[in-house]
Amino acid sequence: MSDTSILNHLFDRQIVCPVCNSHFKAKTVKSKSPRVISKDSDFFIRYSVVNPYLYDVLICNSCGYAAMKSDFEKLKSHKKELVLSNVTPKWKPREYPYILDEKLAIERYKLALLNAMLIDLPNSTKGMLSLKIAWMYRLLDNDIQETLFLKQALEGFNTAYMTEIFPIYGLQRDSLMYLLGELNRRLGNNQDALQWYSKTIVNTNSSYKIKEMARVGKDLIKTANT
């Protein structure tokens, strides 16, 4: 797709940085533009036309604060001081092109992940950022880096499951139980995967769809072991 046609699916959104009050514009994908091609078993959605994941991170060029769009404005006041003391002194302003690709998206997600670590955001945030980085590496067929960030995602979500209040990034308890099973399966931790899948299936609050996905995961492990 040409640059011009991609730009037709984007619009400028006015953003105010919650840390330093700077005003800036961010390219945002029009809600009707993405077309879903398919969904991977770990909730990754594959799109045609334009990929919203590429534009999911907002970055303030003034202070260096970076976060996913869903989190950007939710920063608690005591965290703002942490950005100014831990992030801003290290920040070097960086201008990005209007049209982003997977490599630039990875750079931006990693910047948001660094922010999350430096200002001690919840484990679920670190987990979701790591998962989205893994997905971008999947699009680039970089298995080594994908695996590395899937491991980080698993670590973050494991802790979040035990310590945070649901829903977590739109995931109810049954969905996160299933995701923990799926990440373990993808990483070759079959025993842990089977335990999480079983928990999902026997949980009376699990939706039919999630139970079916867990059963598919269990079958994949059984098939691989025969």
Side-chain angles (χ1 to χ4, degrees), residues 1-80:
M1 184 183 290
S2 70
D3 287 359
T4 306
S5 56
I6 291 175
L7 284 172
N8 289 336
H9 295 284
L10 305 174
F11 70 96
D12 281 328
R13 185 174 149 207
Q14 294 288 342
I15 309 291
V16 179
C17 175
V19 176
C20 67
N21 293 316
S22 291
H23 292 241
F24 62 95
K25 292 178 182 177
K27 287 293 179 195
T28 302
V29 178
K30 294 176 181 176
S31 59
K32 293 181 180 177
S33 288
R35 297 280 185 273
V36 176
I37 302 172
S38 61
K39 296 180 183 180
D40 290 8
S41 54
D42 60 355
F43 302 137
F44 173 47
I45 302 170
R46 294 175 183 268
Y47 294 98
S48 64
V49 185
V50 63
N51 185 347
Y53 290 120
L54 304 182
Y55 299 88
D56 192 29
V57 172
L58 296 175
I59 301 169
C60 174
N61 230 357
S62 297
C63 68
Y65 171 53
M68 290 181 288
K69 287 178 179 174
S70 61
D71 294 330
F72 194 80
E73 293 170 2
K74 294 179 185 173
L75 194 67
K76 293 177 180 172
S77 54
H78 68 281
K79 297 290 186 186
K80 296 175 187 179

Side-chain angles (χ1 to χ4, degrees), residues 11-204:
F11 70 96
D12 281 328
R13 185 174 149 207
Q14 294 288 342
I15 309 291
V16 179
C17 175
V19 176
C20 67
N21 293 316
S22 291
H23 292 241
F24 62 95
K25 292 178 182 177
K27 287 293 179 195
T28 302
V29 178
K30 294 176 181 176
S31 59
K32 293 181 180 177
S33 288
R35 297 280 185 273
V36 176
I37 302 172
S38 61
K39 296 180 183 180
D40 290 8
S41 54
D42 60 355
F43 302 137
F44 173 47
I45 302 170
R46 294 175 183 268
Y47 294 98
S48 64
V49 185
V50 63
N51 185 347
Y53 290 120
L54 304 182
Y55 299 88
D56 192 29
V57 172
L58 296 175
I59 301 169
C60 174
N61 230 357
S62 297
C63 68
Y65 171 53
M68 290 181 288
K69 287 178 179 174
S70 61
D71 294 330
F72 194 80
E73 293 170 2
K74 294 179 185 173
L75 194 67
K76 293 177 180 172
S77 54
H78 68 281
K79 297 290 186 186
K80 296 175 187 179
E81 289 303 319
L82 289 174
V83 173
L84 292 171
S85 57
N86 294 345
V87 177
T88 307
K90 303 179 178 77
W91 173 241
K92 292 174 183 170
R94 162 91 157 90
E95 290 294 336
Y96 285 91
Y98 291 144
I99 296 171
L100 301 175
D101 58 19
E102 291 85 1
K103 288 180 181 176
L104 289 172
I106 287 168
E107 184 181 309
R108 292 166 69 88
Y109 276 120
K110 284 182 176 177
L111 188 58
L113 183 57
L114 181 61
N115 266 260
M117 291 172 172
L118 288 172
I119 64 177
D120 197 26
L121 292 181
N123 284 288
S124 58
T125 301
K126 297 168 194 169
M128 185 55 75
L129 284 163
S130 297
L131 184 59
K132 289 186 174 182
I133 294 169
W135 291 343
M136 295 301 98
Y137 278 120
R138 187 176 302 168
L139 289 174
L140 295 172
D141 296 318
N142 188 329
D143 296 342
I144 293 171
Q145 288 297 317
E146 179 188 342
T147 298
L148 179 70
F149 282 94
L150 286 178
K151 284 179 181 174
Q152 283 189 210
L154 177 59
E155 191 177 313
F157 286 133
N158 254 326
T159 308
Y161 178 83
M162 294 181 286
T163 59
E164 295 183 33
I165 297 167
F166 287 88
I168 291 172
Y169 286 100
L171 300 174
Q172 298 294 346
R173 187 176 294 274
D174 62 334
S175 299
L176 188 55
M177 281 195 291
Y178 162 76
L179 181 59
L180 289 167
E182 183 59 21
L183 293 177
N184 272 297
R185 183 188 70 79
R186 285 173 174 267
L187 292 167
N189 309 327
N190 286 346
Q191 285 309 115
D192 288 339
L194 288 170
Q195 285 179 1
W196 281 110
Y197 287 145
S198 295
K199 272 188 186 180
T200 308
I201 293 164
V202 301
N203 186 327
T204 53

